[in-house]
Amino acid sequence: MSTDLHRASASLVENVSIHSVCTNLDDYIRSHIDPEPELLHALYHEANIRLVNGRMASGHLQGRILKMFVRMVRPRNILEIGTYAGYSAMCMAEGLDEGGMVYTFEINDELEDFTRSWIARSDVSDRIRFIIGDGLKEAPKLGIVFDMAFIDGNKRNYTEAYEAVLPLIRPKGFILADNTLWDGHILDPAYDRDKQTLGIRRFNDYVAGDDRVEKVIVPVRDGMTIIMKK
């Protein structure tokens, strides 16, 4: 066997081994956290069948993290930019105290019927206000000071979304930004011309240098940045 072929073979074995370990760890984690509610399990399955890029729905682990984060922060008003299938909105609504509300905006009106029908079936539908429209333009019109926000919209304009959302957050409030590791594409030169990757890179660099906030990136699923407004 040639040296190059040997190296390629060894690399393939290593990658398969790493993938196997990660898969086993994912299975282990999911079996040792709170179970995914049946409705959300069904929603995730249906989103992957009926919607383009169904994987964009938060899923079991991230959903339980969102709920737990809401339990810890105890926000009264949550702003979400990018509802998609409604999975994350329902998870955050689960964690709310009585009287709390999730205001979630989805700019793609083609998702309305699908998402609204699933939210309506949820036990927490009374804690979710689902709005079709551009949240960056419409949220400020609500006149609400938010305790927490979840940004999960168009990756190309994450920085603009961040600047639009930050003034709406109370001091010591939180912004969570999803997908900030972007399947590792942020470090891959092959994606140097991909506009979504460039948007995430620009956002990460921008937030890293912003002294108005404290921030940390958590390598959960596709990466989540937790930001606290000073």
Side-chain angles (χ1 to χ4, degrees), residues 171-205:
K172 307 300 182 184
F174 288 87
I175 297 173
L176 277 60
D178 199 15
N179 307 118
T180 51
L181 296 180
W182 203 230
D183 277 338
H185 298 336
I186 52 168
L187 296 176
D188 190 342
Y191 290 84
D192 283 353
R193 295 186 179 182
D194 177 69
K195 291 183 179 180
Q196 295 190 89
T197 302
L198 293 174
I200 292 292
R201 289 176 181 173
R202 183 164 65 97
F203 169 79
N204 287 342
D205 291 343

Side-chain angles (χ1 to χ4, degrees), residues 18-220:
I18 291 172
H19 176 74
S20 177
V21 169
C22 290
T23 300
N24 290 338
L25 280 175
D26 288 343
D27 290 341
Y28 181 86
I29 290 168
R30 284 192 293 268
S31 68
H32 287 77
I33 64 176
D34 286 346
E36 183 181 35
E38 289 184 10
L39 180 68
L40 290 177
H41 179 78
L43 168 57
Y44 190 81
H45 177 74
E46 193 72 7
N48 277 273
I49 292 174
R50 293 186 53 192
L51 302 181
V52 177
N53 298 320
R55 181 177 171 272
M56 286 168 52
S58 291
H60 183 185
L61 174 57
Q62 188 179 50
R64 294 307 90 193
I65 290 173
L66 289 172
K67 178 185 176 182
M68 184 66 76
F69 199 85
V70 172
R71 289 285 198 211
M72 292 188 294
V73 176
R74 302 186 70 183
R76 183 170 182 82
N77 294 307
I78 300 174
L79 170 63
E80 181 177 44
I81 303 297
T83 314
Y84 191 54
Y87 193 110
S88 52
M90 288 187 235
C91 293
M92 291 187 288
E94 281 185 72
L96 285 172
D97 291 337
E98 188 69 29
M101 185 66 68
V102 176
Y103 296 83
T104 180
F105 288 85
E106 175 55 53
I107 199 167
N108 183 0
D109 60 5
E110 293 182 358
L111 290 169
E112 181 171 10
D113 290 344
F114 178 91
T115 302
R116 198 174 295 282
S117 68
W118 281 94
I119 290 175
R121 293 165 59 183
S122 170
D123 292 338
V124 294
S125 60
D126 60 332
R127 303 177 191 174
I128 300 173
R129 184 175 171 189
F130 174 43
I131 304 164
I132 292 292
D134 186 346
L136 306 187
K137 295 179 180 178
E138 299 302 321
K141 298 177 184 178
L142 296 175
I144 295 171
V145 176
F146 293 95
D147 307 291
M148 174 178 157
F150 184 48
I151 298 176
D152 193 18
N154 189 337
K155 314 310 169 190
R156 294 174 179 83
N157 66 347
Y158 251 36
T159 304
E160 291 75 14
Y162 170 71
E163 277 296 344
V165 167
L166 188 62
L168 307 180
I169 302 294
R170 66 166 172 82
K172 307 300 182 184
F174 288 87
I175 297 173
L176 277 60
D178 199 15
N179 307 118
T180 51
L181 296 180
W182 203 230
D183 277 338
H185 298 336
I186 52 168
L187 296 176
D188 190 342
Y191 290 84
D192 283 353
R193 295 186 179 182
D194 177 69
K195 291 183 179 180
Q196 295 190 89
T197 302
L198 293 174
I200 292 292
R201 289 176 181 173
R202 183 164 65 97
F203 169 79
N204 287 342
D205 291 343
Y206 188 82
V207 173
D210 190 353
D211 61 7
R212 297 172 297 175
V213 298
E214 297 179 17
K215 75 290 289 186
V216 62
I217 297 178
V218 180
V220 172

